[in-house]
Amino acid sequence: QVQLVESGGGLVQAGGSLRLTCAASGLTSSYYALAWFRQAPGKEREFVTGINWTTDNTKYADSVKGRSTISRDNAKNTVLLQMSSLKPEDTAIYYCAVGRLPPAAIPSDSSHSYDYWGQGTQVTVSS
């Protein structure tokens, strides 16, 4: 059974940095993507970034491009999201998700492409 556990959220001042970690277990497929989504109060869940586990192809939302880096650690089965220059509008619950992905494909930005989700970690950016 696939399990995803996020950690690293917290309270940070605007302009600060944060690193989120997603620990994955139970993954049996060789071809999949791991992604981060976020959901702010009163808003729909939105894509932040994703990475192809096999090829390292990545995709970023325009709202975080240049301020965020997604990376993976195969040995630990974890995905990291490093965020800098944080803004109050980055405040949200951040979710890790995994879904099957064809080899060499770019991760999808649709939540429908992901089958398993973590419980989320709160990120709050104060102004």
Side-chain angles (χ1 to χ4, degrees):
Q1 184 174 353
V2 176
Q3 287 190 326
L4 303 171
V5 179
E6 304 96 335
S7 61
L11 175 64
V12 63
Q13 288 189 333
S17 301
L18 209 60
R19 187 174 75 172
L20 304 182
T21 300
C22 174
S25 61
L27 295 172
T28 58
S29 171
S30 298
Y31 305 111
Y32 52 87
L34 272 151
W36 288 94
F37 286 76
R38 67 186 182 186
Q39 188 166 18
K43 294 188 177 181
E44 293 191 354
R45 190 171 297 189
E46 64 174 2
F47 174 81
V48 177
T49 181
I51 186 167
N52 182 315
W53 193 258
T54 306
T55 63
D56 272 349
N57 288 342
T58 58
K59 184 172 185 176
Y60 294 89
D62 289 342
S63 58
V64 302
K65 199 173 293 183
R67 302 189 294 121
S68 300
T69 302
I70 187 171
S71 60
R72 59 179 173 86
D73 184 333
N74 281 12
K76 297 181 181 179
N77 252 16
T78 58
V79 171
L80 304 176
L81 173 59
Q82 180 71 44
M83 301 182 68
S84 59
S85 301
L86 285 163
K87 307 173 183 179
E89 49 263 44
D90 292 317
T91 295
I93 299 175
Y94 284 70
Y95 297 92
C96 178
V98 66
R100 291 183 61 90
L101 185 72
I106 302 296
S108 170
D109 58 7
S110 170
S111 62
H112 298 294
S113 299
Y114 297 88
D115 303 308
Y116 300 97
W117 295 79
Q119 292 185 329
T121 185
Q122 176 72 48
V123 171
T124 303
V125 183
S126 63
S127 57

